[in-house]
Amino acid sequence: MEKLPFPETNTVQKDKHMSENMTRTKKEQWAKLLAPIRHGMTDPSKVHFDRARSPFLQDYDRILFSNSFRTLARKTQVHPFSANDHVHNRQMHSLEVSSAGRSLGIMVGFFLEERGELPESISPENIGEIVQAACLAHDIGNPPFGHGGESALQDWFKNAENNEAFLKGLTERQKADFKTFDGNAQGFRVVTAIENYKDNGGLRLTYPTLASLVKYPRSAYDAIGEASTKFNFYQSEKQTFDTVFTALGLKHDHYRRHPLSYLTEAADDICYRIIDMEDALELNIISLQDIKDVLAPVYPKLRINEKRLESMDSDRRRAGLIRAKLIAFMIDAIFTAFKNNYDALLDGEPVKSLIDCAEEDVNEYMTRAKDHFFNVILKNHSKIALEIGSYTLYKRLLDTFIPAVHQLKTGKEISYREQQAITLMGVCAPREEDDLYTAYIRVMDFITGMTDTKATFLSRQLLGTTEN
């Protein structure tokens, strides 16, 4: 008589098959998420994959050598026009974030390889290259004077008494792009439409890099009424955004974040929280003890040699040692958070951020750092004065260029001054086929593409002087 297998054996075999099927499904999902499709090409799927110089490494190089990335060297990170060479600008910050992002990406790459879910054509290092490239571009759309500049642009368009007339004729979705202007959406436009192949693919980056750059997968209009009004694409890039997210399997009832975008976000969070304090120390806004107090929840875990710390010849070097230990600690903490929330991230479930998913002591440190930033560092009087001044600067620029293109696109007679303003816009000047909305977007391209110093100089020229 044939012996029947034990029930336990059947269960084990069934579980094994289910596990193999799940692994295969996730591997197929990653194959789609990491497809090296290049935006803007006639046949975007025909990308040569050279393992020695992958398409994702090429993405990084294209961003690094772009004009827009170069301007970040003269754009505010937190402290405008600092005379201290050790204080960060947007470019240095972006390079540091890309370094942290690369480490996180490679760690996740090996994690996927160990699970058997990494596609055959992709190496763990390729995951690092994708995140590194996305991190390098994460601030590429920021306007002069950073978040202060964002607010100045938003408030100009929100000023119904003086400027509402310029928005007549636009749809509500189009109006939202200007009233809630966001450097994230401008950044997506920079890399997909402005640089290199202008209006024809931009930098022509791969879809995985573009999606990993996106933290807020929605339009300005769709963000209205949400807790955060941040968004990642204008109506002008809606079709591009939809194409990318559909191809990667990230469009369902709504757009989902790419799992690697959480690493881009975390790398930014890791760097700017400690770097903002380091810069404030350089400017004598806070002390080294302030930094230690903020770090108290995690400081013991950094295992800093206090004797070595005390033997250093300056607080700058002491802060540098603390920063190095902290970043290494945070990268490990974020990687752990990614592993612990892996299924939810891959399934597109709502995960606020990896920082929020980290251990309690990490969360407490980040909360302290955030509170210190807003309540101490941002309250510095010289910074506040310059931010107020940036409002005057932006008003002068917008008062000049928006009315000029409005006159042009509504068929009204253009004055000599308005014609000269349009000429001054150069390659950003509206084209004959552009509608009013697109013409305004090009004004945003022109203004946000300037450095802090260029915007300041042009504003003074428009006033009729170049004197301080």
Side-chain angles (χ1 to χ4, degrees):
M1 185 174 180
E2 184 181 0
K3 289 185 178 181
L4 294 174
F6 290 109
E8 290 84 3
T9 304
N10 284 333
T11 301
V12 169
Q13 289 177 340
K14 184 177 180 181
D15 288 345
K16 182 179 178 181
H17 287 310
M18 287 180 62
S19 178
E20 289 174 348
N21 288 335
M22 287 178 64
T23 299
R24 185 163 48 251
T25 300
K26 288 182 178 180
K27 189 173 184 177
E28 292 169 352
Q29 191 173 352
W30 275 111
K32 196 167 190 178
L33 287 168
L34 301 174
I37 306 168
R38 193 170 289 288
H39 172 59
M41 295 180 64
T42 305
D43 186 349
S45 63
K46 288 187 176 180
V47 177
H48 174 63
F49 202 115
D50 184 343
R51 294 188 68 84
R53 184 163 144 68
S54 76
F56 313 123
L57 188 57
Q58 292 176 44
D59 286 347
Y60 178 86
D61 291 345
R62 292 181 182 201
I63 296 163
L64 183 69
F65 287 100
S66 69
N67 292 324
S68 294
F69 185 75
R70 192 176 304 126
T71 64
L72 295 182
R74 290 182 175 269
K75 285 191 177 183
T76 296
Q77 171 62 18
V78 175
H79 307 281
F81 293 132
S82 173
N84 188 320
D85 291 337
H86 291 274
V87 171
H88 286 70
N89 55 50
R90 285 282 172 185
Q91 186 184 80
M92 181 53 67
H93 166 70
S94 298
L95 287 164
E96 292 175 346
V97 173
S98 72
S99 177
R102 180 188 59 219
S103 295
L104 283 168
I106 292 174
M107 293 165 79
V108 166
F110 279 107
F111 168 71
L112 296 178
E113 186 177 60
E114 290 168 4
R115 291 173 60 93
E117 296 171 10
L118 194 67
E120 281 78 6
S121 61
I122 303 293
S123 72
E125 289 79 9
N126 292 151
I127 306 297
E129 291 164 357
I130 293 169
V131 181
Q132 181 184 29
C135 287
L136 194 70
H138 84 281
D139 272 349
I140 205 166
N142 274 35
F145 300 100
H147 295 302
E150 278 185 328
S151 297
L153 281 164
Q154 295 165 4
D155 290 348
W156 192 92
F157 284 103
K158 287 178 183 176
N159 188 330
E161 183 178 350
N162 296 324
N163 304 319
E164 183 67 27
F166 295 116
L167 297 180
K168 287 183 178 178
L170 302 186
T171 68
E172 292 304 312
R173 288 184 173 273
Q174 291 172 339
K175 290 178 183 179
D177 286 351
F178 302 109
K179 289 184 176 182
T180 57
F181 171 87
D182 195 320
N184 291 291
Q186 186 66 30
F188 189 79
R189 176 169 167 77
V190 166
V191 298
T192 60
I194 295 176
E195 280 287 349
N196 290 14
Y197 293 91
K198 187 170 173 60
D199 297 317
N200 192 25
L203 290 174
R204 295 191 172 180
L205 305 179
T206 61
Y207 286 7
T209 295
L210 289 174
S212 298
L213 175 63
V214 173
K215 182 178 176 180
Y216 308 99
R218 61 192 181 194
S219 69
Y221 186 81
D222 293 329
I224 294 174
E226 298 293 326
S228 169
T229 58
K230 307 289 284 181
F231 64 100
N232 247 113
F233 67 91
Y234 299 137
Q235 294 304 302
S236 53
E237 279 66 59
K238 185 179 186 303
Q239 184 57 55
T240 295
F241 194 93
D242 188 76
T243 298
V244 171
F245 274 63
T246 298
L248 298 182
L250 294 169
K251 182 182 179 182
H252 299 272
D253 54 332
H254 62 281
Y255 294 120
R256 295 179 179 178
R257 290 182 64 174
H258 194 291
L260 298 184
S261 74
Y262 287 90
L263 302 181
T264 304
E265 176 187 22
D268 184 30
D269 289 341
I270 289 171
C271 289
Y272 79 76
R273 284 298 176 216
I274 181 60
I275 295 303
D276 288 348
M277 289 193 293
E278 207 171 344
D279 285 348
L281 175 68
E282 278 289 334
L283 297 173
N284 296 316
I285 297 172
I286 65 173
S287 67
L288 185 67
Q289 187 58 50
D290 290 327
I291 293 178
K292 286 186 171 183
D293 290 343
V294 169
L295 289 172
V298 298
Y299 193 82
K301 294 184 177 181
L302 304 185
R303 297 180 180 177
I304 294 173
N305 186 323
E306 292 297 329
K307 287 185 178 180
R308 182 188 172 195
L309 196 70
E310 289 302 318
S311 70
M312 291 180 163
D313 59 8
S314 68
D315 280 350
R316 174 188 296 161
R317 295 189 193 280
R318 296 183 185 100
L321 174 61
I322 292 172
R323 178 233 310 139
K325 294 283 190 178
L326 177 62
I327 289 179
F329 168 79
M330 290 294 292
I331 285 174
D332 286 340
I334 293 303
F335 175 54
T336 299
F338 184 93
K339 290 192 297 182
N340 292 342
N341 293 272
Y342 173 66
D343 289 333
L345 293 169
L346 196 58
D347 293 341
E349 294 178 16
V351 177
K352 190 174 181 183
S353 76
L354 291 178
I355 293 290
D356 290 330
C357 297
E359 296 294 330
E360 186 176 345
D361 54 359
V362 172
N363 262 291
E364 187 179 348
Y365 149 61
M366 290 296 285
T367 300
R368 287 188 181 206
K370 183 178 180 180
D371 290 345
H372 204 75
F373 177 73
F374 283 104
N375 297 325
V376 179
I377 297 174
L378 284 190
K379 299 297 184 183
N380 179 257
H381 286 192
S382 61
K383 174 176 170 51
I384 292 173
L386 281 168
E387 283 192 336
I388 293 172
S390 72
Y391 265 72
T392 304
L393 178 153
Y394 272 96
K395 184 178 187 307
R396 194 174 295 146
L397 294 175
L398 291 164
D399 281 351
T400 299
F401 295 103
I402 291 294
V405 300
H406 182 267
Q407 290 289 99
L408 177 69
K409 288 300 171 181
T410 53
K412 297 176 182 176
E413 186 176 350
I414 303 176
S415 68
Y416 176 77
R417 180 179 185 274
E418 290 162 344
Q419 182 58 61
Q420 291 297 82
I422 292 170
T423 301
L424 194 59
M425 290 176 63
V427 297
C428 293
R431 299 181 178 183
E432 185 176 348
E433 63 270 22
D434 290 343
D435 58 13
L436 183 62
Y437 167 77
T438 305
Y440 285 168
I441 286 288
R442 296 198 190 279
V443 174
M444 296 297 101
D445 296 342
F446 177 60
I447 293 176
T448 61
M450 297 181 198
T451 63
D452 293 4
T453 48
K454 174 63 177 177
T456 302
F457 181 74
L458 180 57
S459 176
R460 289 170 182 162
Q461 284 184 308
L462 296 177
L463 185 61
T465 180
T466 57
E467 297 296 325
N468 288 329

